[in-house]
Amino acid sequence: MSSALPLATVHEIRDACLCMATQRAARRLARRFDRAFQPVGLSNGQFSLLMALNAPGRPKLGELATFLAMDRTTLTAALKALERRGLVAVTRDERDRRARRMALTQAGHEALQAAIPVWRAEHAALERDLTHAGADRLRAALREVA
């Protein structure tokens, strides 16, 4: 007795599953931007995290996790790597000693500055690949999901 699903079911899910399609696209985009950011020593995830910290104020870990749609454990690991490199400073909140707040260091600002032209060039290439109208439709659809 075989426990394999019928091939028609496999194809149905492969062709219709929005979650699977989004995951596959996200992995491809992540690899593309990882390659682009190699010369500045960042991954696409690190770039996104640094960008999120480039706002006024110093967010708490939970606020940052919510904004980035990350679980706290994964975010903590990512922050530790950036902290070891001197790009991010993690400090205790003055009012609530249990809470931690994050901020970019000077080196973090410099890394982000170096990465912006790389992001702009790679993003422009991606938009050309998608056509501008396709990129706009994709952004709109992703905002609906998020």
Side-chain angles (χ1 to χ4, degrees):
M1 181 171 128
S2 173
S3 60
L5 292 170
L7 191 56
T9 302
V10 174
H11 289 170
E12 171 195 3
I13 292 172
R14 177 201 65 196
D15 297 341
C17 183
L18 293 170
C19 188
M20 185 183 297
T22 302
Q23 289 170 336
R24 292 179 70 210
R27 288 184 197 107
R28 286 189 178 125
L29 285 172
R31 284 191 298 272
R32 179 178 181 151
F33 280 89
D34 281 344
R35 283 189 301 273
F37 287 130
Q38 276 180 337
V40 295
L42 294 174
S43 68
N44 78 85
Q46 291 170 331
F47 174 78
S48 296
L49 182 46
L50 292 176
M51 281 303 301
L53 289 173
N54 192 51
R58 294 178 4 232
K60 290 182 183 177
L61 182 70
E63 295 166 345
L64 189 58
T66 298
F67 175 76
L68 293 170
M70 294 176 75
D71 64 82
R72 293 169 64 104
T73 304
T74 303
L75 178 57
T76 298
L79 284 167
K80 284 183 182 182
L82 292 173
E83 190 177 23
R84 279 192 300 273
R85 291 181 53 194
L87 303 178
V88 171
V90 179
T91 57
R92 295 263 178 220
D93 184 271
E94 296 89 27
R95 293 188 195 140
D96 180 357
R97 301 299 292 163
R98 297 167 297 165
R100 294 181 293 161
R101 292 193 177 268
M102 281 61 60
L104 290 180
T105 63
Q106 184 59 38
H109 284 287
E110 290 168 6
L112 198 51
Q113 290 273 8
I116 295 293
V118 173
W119 178 86
R120 284 184 175 138
E122 193 61 32
H123 203 270
L126 176 60
E127 292 231 8
R128 281 191 302 274
D129 292 348
L130 292 173
T131 74
H132 187 68
D136 287 342
R137 283 194 311 276
L138 178 57
R139 272 189 286 276
L142 291 173
R143 276 193 293 272
E144 275 188 52
V145 173

